[in-house]
Amino acid sequence: MESVNAKYVSQKVSRTRWRPVSVSSFQQPEIFATGSWDNEDNKVSLWSIGNYGGLGMEDGFEGDPQLLCDIKHDGDVLDLQFLDQERIVTASSTGGVTILRHHPNSQTLSVSHQWERAHRYPCDNAPCTSVVCSSPEIVSVGEDGRIVVFRADQEGVCRVIENADSSTIHAVTYLRTTEVLTVNSIGQLKLWDLRQQGGSPSKILSLSGDRVPLHCVDRHPNQQHVVATGGQDGTLCIWDVREESSPVALMEAHSAEMWEVHFHPTNPDHLFTCSEDGSLLHWETSSHSDMPSLLHEGSRNSGVTSRSAMAPAGGNKSLISAWLSGDSSKSCLKTSHMLPSQTLSVNSLDVLGQCLVCGTDGEAIFVNRQVLV
Amino acid sequence: LYSSLVMLSTTLFEIPAVSTGKHMGFAWGPGDILVYETLYKAKGASSSGSSLIHEVRKDEDIYSPILRKLFNESHHIFVGLQTVGEDVPSKNKKPQFVSISKNYRSVIRACMEELQQLAVLTKDAEAATRLGNQVSILLAIELIWNLCEVLFIDAAPAGSLLLHLLDWVRLHKADVDEKTREVLQSESPAEHHNYWDVVVSYVLQGRVEEARQMLVKQANLHPAARGMFKLMDKLLSKMPFYNPRSTQTLTEFDVIWRHWHEEVDRCLQDNSFSSNQHLEFICKILLGDEDSLLECKDLLGTWYHFLVTRLLFCHPTVKPTDLHYYAQSCMTMFLDSRSVSEPLDSILLASFEFDIHQVIKDCSIVLNNWWFVAHLTDLLDHCKLLQSHNLHFGSNLREFLLLEYASGLFTHHSLWQLAVDYFDHCPEFGRVYLELQIERVPLETERKALKVLRVCEERQMSEQVRSICKIMATRALRNNRLGSALSWSIRAKDAAFATLISERFLQDYSTRGTFSDLDLIDNLGPSMLLSNRLTFLGKYREFHRLYGQKHFSKAAKLLLSLMTAKIAPQSFWMTLLTDALPLLEQKEVISPHALSSCSKSAHQSLWDVLVTKIVGDGCVCAAYSRSLS
């Protein structure tokens, strides 16, 4: 693996996201966005690692991210997602959700729409902790335990699920187009069917042991029922949401909070996690493992043999089992560190194609353009 | 370069919100001043003042984004340095230390270049001046650091010492190359008015190759004087430079050098260059003639350049211990009575005298940020160059400086995370400082609180952990986020707070008749055991569930255990008894089809307990006793 160089950016980076590239083209991503936190003036910035007009392509400078534009952001950028090629949605510590628009011609960013205080307490601001979008729908969650649904083209809020949770909801992700999954600080996963009007989840899953707060969640790109979560103690859990409760696999990953977990979007045998302990791990499971199906191998749930009749929804059976086998020593699971040691907390990572970008509390961004997937 | 090192600068501010004539009070903070209006006026009766407090702080140094990169990158180097080959013996660590020193310097240089670029691009004259000042300060810092690296860390012996000093001077006299560029780009370089300045500058820096190349151009213009130029070329090419990698000893080198010196002297004595004043001048320089060197004051620029040049041409085998004699005399010769000795001069002189403590002391006084002295001292300490110089309050110099620097970092809204690592490596007082400072970090979001908590937990600062969790739990409770509050009390293992939260739930239940936040209570898991009240809450809710699912015997058993285990609060006994009533009336509980004799005895025991309670505690009203009988 080529050595990774740090780019110091004078702001603690809370989120990094690649701008999506069209699926049909095999281009590698060139542009990414970062959000800062803990500054008096926080910013959302757009960077490029591409070849812009032939500048900066001398040896040794290749791949050094160049700042394209930035914009002030009110409050910490607690989450950042690309809504589409030109628009970015941010979640703020002031409780607001903002849509920013990038103007490539003038190379500027501007506020396209803002929902201030989408998350709030009766007499105080409540940080909006996470946001997820499936254009034009945006779903946000916050410390106030509220789930809010917006549409990018509508002024007001679409729908609010009040008191969805009595604790902080740390992350949200889409399970299906009408279902979202949230994780909270008492270690529960909750499934919400957005078509239903009620204010309660359709399902709750939780760890059978200590209720460790969960901080991040990501869904397998091909298998809609396979979900990975990361928690306060740095444990990586793989869940099958069709099950009643408890994760199917539990792996010790980090020695401190895991901030983000991502399946690789096109090669889901690969998983990436980053943590407060300053490490970024690349997990690789062998897709040709000769593991039997998930239910017979080290599953933490006994007595669910009734499910064995259900065939996995498409895809390679062994593919699923590789992630869902409970005993990582038996499956071919390789883990490798991707950063030089002794960095401060890695707050965020994003992976697309062969490119990985991450940001740390040491005010550095690392870009790796040759991730082996 | 010099005047910007003076720390004491006075700036006058007007605080617009303070009305005129009012007396102001103030208090120093770590990086700022708090100013407030008092009741007193200079003249006239005192009157009420505004209730505002103004925070006044200087908007520079740690608030500049480019300098932030310096702080972050140097932090990375610092942390790496602390763990440098602990198993490797000291003498083998020198190359590592030199490399780390060079890393620090390259970070300073990168920062300097960025500031310079910004200064060039900025249109605001005042900002450009400020940036220019910062560049000057960094230049001086790098100059001092570089010299310290040469003299203390690399500790070059005689022979190599001069070579390193030459490098040092060359690095900090970049204008020669600029001039050369200008000259070479002209139509006829040899006739450019700066031509001879360039040649002489090269010679003064010992760059003989470049000097020779330039002289060729002159030689071509004067074919008649070819012989003279050839002679100069020969002298220059034969100038000996010590090669530390060769097998040649210093004494052998000295002999060869003396031969060469005598040869140059012979050429001067027999007037070989008398027809060309420039070449004759160069010849005198090669001999190290003081007066000729002093004539080049403008080209030399500084007394330390003069020093190195003089050593080059008079004492190339100078020993480190003899440096200070030459330094002192050169400085005196170069700086005539008119020019004032600047702080930088005394710092460099102290370096040549190998008085490390004086260097650190002078730098601390002169610079208004602890960054430089803290990092340099730390590095020198690792090289075992600082005698343990105990200060009055027990810690040593290195620790004192690191503590000062890190405390300054802690006042920054963002850089406090860097400070933690610095405190970690101050064995005596680091922990105490950290304990005091970490509690003052504002906790605006849960994510930030989690990071602060992680810092405390990793260092077993249990008091701070409890304190932070309590703050967050109280805030959550105030906003009615009972789940969050519970989550924080679990993290701190704060049984008292967990009890408080449970009471809130129970209160809610008493007033409303239903539980709120069932998702929480139903899923407490093992954390239920944190506090008795919490256990009661969980079990009580379980009782309700069992009852709702019509598992009456189980429900009864549970209720009984709740009553007998004495974890129910007094205030709740009424409620429990009320709940017991329908159970007693339930035929299923006493039905012969009950699962086991336990249920019958459970019923019986329930009855017994109730009777005891009614009679014993007398806490049930008459109506109940009547309905039960």
Side-chain angles (χ1 to χ4, degrees):
Chain A
M1 200 174 302
E2 65 171 41
S3 69
V4 196
N5 285 322
K7 163 104 180 154
Y8 286 89
V9 296
S10 307
Q11 50 185 336
K12 291 203 286 208
V13 181
S14 58
R15 275 290 184 267
T16 55
R17 287 285 181 266
W18 287 112
R19 191 177 70 176
V21 290
S22 60
V23 181
S24 53
S25 78
F26 286 103
Q27 274 181 334
Q28 293 298 316
E30 274 185 4
I31 295 190
F32 63 91
T34 60
S36 77
W37 76 285
D38 216 16
N39 261 346
E40 285 177 344
D41 291 320
N42 286 299
K43 288 208 283 249
V44 172
S45 320
L46 268 184
W47 305 79
S48 165
I49 55 165
N51 188 1
Y52 260 69
L55 295 168
M57 280 306 277
E58 304 118 32
D59 289 332
F61 290 98
E62 194 180 317
D64 198 33
Q66 300 300 320
L67 180 67
L68 290 178
C69 49
D70 58 29
I71 186 171
K72 260 178 71 160
H73 185 267
D74 195 20
D76 294 345
V77 178
L78 291 180
D79 201 0
L80 188 154
Q81 302 286 355
F82 273 91
L83 184 61
D84 52 33
Q85 280 281 354
E86 279 131 24
R87 289 179 298 176
I88 299 171
V89 185
T90 68
S92 166
S93 63
T94 59
V97 174
T98 314
I99 301 184
L100 299 169
R101 182 179 283 277
H102 175 225
H103 307 274
N105 295 332
S106 59
Q107 211 57 266
T108 52
L109 278 166
S110 65
V111 175
S112 165
H113 191 83
Q114 197 169 47
W115 291 278
E116 285 180 30
R117 305 201 78 219
H119 292 271
R120 59 185 177 280
Y121 296 129
C123 46
D124 207 358
N125 281 339
C128 173
T129 52
S130 183
V131 83
V132 75
C133 37
S134 160
S135 191
E137 189 178 72
I138 302 170
V139 178
S140 79
V141 292
E143 283 188 19
D144 57 353
R146 196 183 270 132
I147 300 178
V148 187
V149 184
F150 314 83
R151 281 185 70 91
D153 41 16
Q154 279 178 13
E155 268 293 318
V157 156
C158 229
R159 185 186 164 189
V160 178
I161 305 178
E162 291 280 355
N163 227 353
D165 209 310
S166 63
S167 65
T168 302
I169 307 177
H170 283 295
V172 63
T173 189
Y174 272 101
L175 213 55
R176 277 172 243 277
T177 43
T178 53
E179 257 186 20
V180 293
L181 184 72
T182 61
V183 293
N184 66 13
S185 60
I186 44 177
Q188 297 171 324
L189 280 88
K190 294 186 180 175
L191 269 88
W192 303 86
D193 189 338
L194 295 176
R195 290 167 302 189
Q196 287 176 7
Q197 277 311 308
S200 44
S202 47
K203 198 175 199 181
I204 301 182
L205 298 97
S206 56
L207 289 159
S208 50
D210 275 328
R211 301 282 194 257
V212 174
L214 296 172
H215 287 294
C216 52
V217 65
D218 194 29
R219 197 204 74 191
H220 192 287
N222 306 330
Q223 316 302 325
Q224 283 182 334
H225 54 273
V226 176
V227 153
T229 64
Q232 185 180 285
D233 56 357
T235 312
L236 173 66
C237 299
I238 312 282
W239 306 73
D240 181 341
V241 296
R242 300 169 305 187
E243 304 262 325
E244 266 314 308
S245 186
S246 292
V248 192
L250 213 78
M251 289 164 267
E252 271 183 33
H254 296 278
S255 54
E257 284 86 355
M258 188 191 298
W259 295 122
E260 285 214 61
V261 61
H262 283 274
F263 281 102
H264 191 283
T266 46
N267 287 42
D269 277 351
H270 298 259
L271 184 92
F272 298 84
T273 59
C274 66
S275 159
E276 177 74 22
D277 67 6
S279 63
L280 201 164
L281 293 178
H282 173 183
W283 302 74
E284 188 181 338
T285 181
S286 157
S287 60
H288 296 300
S289 71
D290 48 14
M291 293 282 91
S293 86
L294 77 103
L295 303 156
H296 301 295
E297 176 54 55
S299 165
R300 287 173 71 86
N301 255 348
S302 56
V304 274
T305 46
S306 56
R307 297 283 184 102
S308 58
M310 188 196 300
N316 199 341
K317 201 171 188 189
S318 55
L319 241 173
I320 315 160
S321 65
W323 280 121
L324 296 180
S325 67
D327 189 356
S328 56
S329 62
K330 286 198 194 156
S331 73
C332 311
L333 193 67
K334 263 191 341 187
T335 324
S336 45
H337 284 265
M338 293 199 74
L339 288 179
S341 60
Q342 294 164 350
T343 53
L344 289 180
S345 166
V346 182
N347 293 325
S348 174
L349 77 97
D350 197 17
V351 61
L352 191 59
Q354 282 191 316
C355 300
L356 179 133
V357 63
C358 65
T360 71
D361 271 346
E363 308 195 353
I365 296 176
F366 295 84
V367 178
N368 189 329
R369 297 167 110 181
Q370 286 172 4
V371 176
L372 301 165
V373 287
Chain B
L1 180 65
Y2 297 97
S3 54
S4 50
L5 283 181
V6 176
M7 175 188 83
L8 295 172
S9 57
T10 46
T11 334
L12 284 174
F13 301 94
E14 243 195 62
I15 302 181
V18 174
S19 18
T20 44
K22 278 296 184 86
H23 279 213
M24 294 197 308
F26 69 94
W28 283 104
D32 47 20
I33 316 175
L34 291 177
V35 176
Y36 55 92
E37 257 186 46
T38 65
L39 295 174
Y40 304 105
K41 269 179 110 123
K43 305 190 254 280
S46 52
S47 55
S48 62
S50 98
S51 54
L52 298 174
I53 297 181
H54 311 275
E55 186 194 352
V56 182
R57 65 168 189 230
K58 254 183 151 178
D59 201 28
E60 60 174 330
D61 264 346
I62 57 178
Y63 298 94
S64 157
I66 297 175
L67 284 179
R68 262 174 91 152
K69 295 191 201 182
L70 179 73
F71 295 127
N72 274 291
E73 287 204 67
S74 58
H75 162 263
H76 188 81
I77 301 172
F78 172 84
V79 171
L81 168 60
Q82 306 310 307
T83 55
V84 131
E86 278 138 342
D87 45 339
V88 179
S90 270
K91 58 178 185 291
N92 296 347
K93 287 197 222 172
K94 194 168 88 160
Q96 270 182 308
F97 291 139
V98 172
S99 154
I100 288 174
S101 177
K102 288 193 191 320
N103 277 347
Y104 273 125
R105 284 197 297 121
S106 71
V107 168
I108 300 173
R109 292 213 140 235
C111 199
M112 224 167 32
E113 274 162 27
E114 251 193 86
L115 282 172
Q116 184 71 341
Q117 270 176 22
L118 197 63
V120 162
L121 290 171
T122 191
K123 297 191 180 60
D124 178 4
E126 203 196 299
T129 329
R130 263 214 320 264
L131 285 167
N133 285 340
Q134 277 172 341
V135 172
S136 303
I137 293 177
L138 287 177
L139 257 173
I141 284 175
E142 208 261 326
L143 181 78
I144 299 168
W145 193 306
N146 199 343
L147 184 62
C148 290
E149 182 187 305
V150 167
L151 296 176
F152 308 144
I153 302 173
D154 215 346
S160 309
L161 176 61
L162 180 70
L163 296 174
H164 284 132
L165 286 175
L166 268 178
D167 282 336
W168 174 65
V169 154
R170 286 172 190 167
L171 194 59
H172 294 95
K173 201 94 181 57
D175 59 354
V176 180
D177 295 304
E178 272 170 48
K179 256 194 226 170
T180 315
R181 252 195 306 272
E182 208 188 291
V183 167
L184 288 176
Q185 277 166 6
S186 73
E187 272 190 38
S188 176
E191 287 168 331
H192 194 283
H193 62 92
N194 276 336
Y195 172 81
W196 283 110
D197 279 349
V198 165
V199 177
V200 172
S201 298
Y202 276 143
V203 175
L204 291 170
Q205 286 189 5
R207 290 158 82 171
V208 286
E209 278 310 312
E210 281 132 307
R212 286 172 65 196
Q213 280 169 21
M214 285 299 274
L215 280 174
V216 164
K217 298 192 200 299
Q218 188 71 230
N220 291 337
L221 275 187
H222 303 275
R226 205 179 25 222
M228 213 169 32
F229 281 95
K230 244 182 130 179
L231 180 60
M232 177 51 78
D233 190 71
K234 191 181 85 169
L235 288 178
L236 287 172
S237 70
K238 281 169 80 179
M239 180 172 173
F241 283 92
Y242 181 68
N243 185 350
R245 275 184 286 274
S246 76
T247 50
Q248 185 187 62
T249 68
L250 199 62
T251 332
E252 284 167 6
F253 168 76
D254 198 43
V255 167
I256 293 172
W257 185 83
R258 279 186 203 289
H259 275 308
W260 173 84
H261 190 94
E262 277 157 22
E263 198 182 328
V264 177
D265 197 30
R266 266 200 301 274
C267 291
L268 186 70
Q269 297 305 326
D270 55 22
N271 296 317
S272 315
F273 299 112
S274 51
S275 49
N276 187 315
Q277 48 154 349
H278 295 289
L279 289 180
E280 193 169 55
F281 186 64
I282 290 174
C283 193
K284 287 195 188 150
I285 291 175
L286 290 178
L287 286 173
D289 176 49
E290 251 173 49
D291 297 319
S292 309
L293 288 180
L294 282 170
E295 268 183 57
C296 304
K297 246 192 184 169
D298 289 331
L299 292 178
L300 289 168
T302 58
W303 65 268
Y304 43 92
H305 191 333
F306 174 55
L307 165 68
V308 175
T309 304
R310 190 149 162 258
L311 291 172
L312 174 65
F313 293 121
C314 300
H315 314 279
T317 56
V318 62
K319 293 203 287 282
T321 43
D322 294 337
L323 263 183
H324 70 277
Y325 296 122
Y326 299 114
Q328 184 65 66
S329 66
C330 283
M331 189 165 102
T332 320
M333 273 192 262
F334 195 89
L335 299 174
D336 50 37
S337 51
R338 278 172 295 139
S339 48
V340 169
S341 155
E342 303 269 354
L344 180 63
D345 296 328
S346 52
I347 293 171
L348 292 175
L349 198 60
S351 310
F352 287 121
E353 291 169 356
F354 283 81
D355 191 350
I356 298 182
H357 287 280
Q358 190 65 35
V359 172
I360 295 170
K361 186 170 150 201
D362 285 345
C363 289
S364 308
I365 294 172
V366 156
L367 296 164
N368 64 352
N369 182 290
W370 296 103
W371 180 87
F372 170 50
V373 280
H375 287 90
L376 181 63
T377 310
D378 173 61
L379 181 56
L380 293 175
D381 188 66
H382 272 91
C383 302
K384 308 258 186 292
L385 290 168
L386 294 179
Q387 303 120 349
S388 74
H389 191 102
N390 275 333
L391 303 171
H392 296 300
F393 38 89
S395 86
N396 60 31
L397 184 64
R398 168 191 170 270
E399 183 157 322
F400 170 73
L401 293 172
L402 284 177
L403 289 171
E404 287 293 315
Y405 172 64
S407 301
L409 276 182
F410 236 108
T411 65
H412 192 269
H413 51 77
S414 211
L415 295 176
W416 57 271
Q417 280 185 286
L418 303 182
V420 172
D421 282 313
Y422 287 101
F423 283 137
D424 278 347
H425 292 106
C426 293
E428 251 188 85
F429 292 118
R431 193 192 163 84
V432 171
Y433 269 67
L434 183 59
E435 280 174 3
L436 290 172
Q437 303 264 29
I438 199 88
E439 278 188 320
R440 284 165 174 66
V441 175
L443 307 170
E444 298 106 353
T445 64
E446 278 204 356
R447 200 175 293 180
K448 186 161 178 187
L450 287 171
K451 286 176 184 270
V452 176
L453 257 184
R454 184 58 65 180
V455 167
C456 297
E457 277 179 356
E458 278 177 353
R459 293 155 182 81
Q460 283 95 41
M461 295 179 172
S462 42
E463 226 183 270
Q464 280 71 28
V465 168
R466 223 172 300 127
S467 154
I468 290 167
C469 286
K470 202 163 256 158
I471 293 172
M472 297 307 288
T474 313
R475 196 186 294 173
L477 211 57
R478 201 174 59 220
N479 288 314
N480 218 20
R481 313 291 314 142
L482 295 175
S484 293
L486 188 62
S487 173
W488 288 108
S489 1
I490 291 171
R491 178 106 183 233
K493 301 200 190 7
D494 193 342
F497 217 94
T499 305
L500 198 76
I501 297 166
S502 320
E503 306 251 286
R504 267 285 278 269
F505 272 113
L506 293 171
Q507 251 172 45
D508 272 354
Y509 174 78
S510 296
T511 43
R512 296 210 314 242
T514 54
F515 283 110
S516 63
D517 303 316
L518 282 176
D519 64 334
L520 171 66
I521 310 174
D522 279 345
N523 292 287
L524 284 173
S527 57
M528 203 193 301
L529 302 172
L530 184 60
S531 117
N532 276 346
R533 196 70 85 244
L534 195 57
T535 316
F536 171 74
L537 177 65
K539 291 289 175 196
Y540 187 60
R541 165 68 194 146
E542 202 182 317
F543 162 74
H544 273 267
R545 262 212 331 269
L546 288 171
Y547 193 92
Q549 291 164 356
K550 298 198 192 314
H551 298 144
F552 296 122
S553 55
K554 281 193 193 158
K557 265 201 295 242
L558 185 54
L559 188 59
L560 183 68
S561 64
L562 282 178
M563 287 169 149
T564 52
K566 295 190 168 62
I567 55 171
Q570 282 282 37
S571 51
F572 230 72
W573 271 94
M574 267 300 249
T575 324
L576 286 181
L577 290 168
T578 322
D579 291 325
L581 282 176
L583 273 180
L584 290 168
E585 288 162 13
Q586 277 292 340
K587 289 203 166 37
E588 279 91 277
V589 178
I590 53 171
S591 129
H593 300 298
L595 283 165
S596 64
S597 60
C598 287
S599 67
K600 188 165 186 197
S601 63
H603 173 244
Q604 194 60 41
S605 314
L606 196 61
W607 181 267
D608 290 340
V609 164
L610 285 172
V611 169
T612 325
K613 268 293 169 192
I614 292 165
V615 172
D617 292 1
C619 65
V620 180
C621 70
Y624 272 113
S625 50
R626 254 175 293 164
S627 67
L628 281 169
S629 57

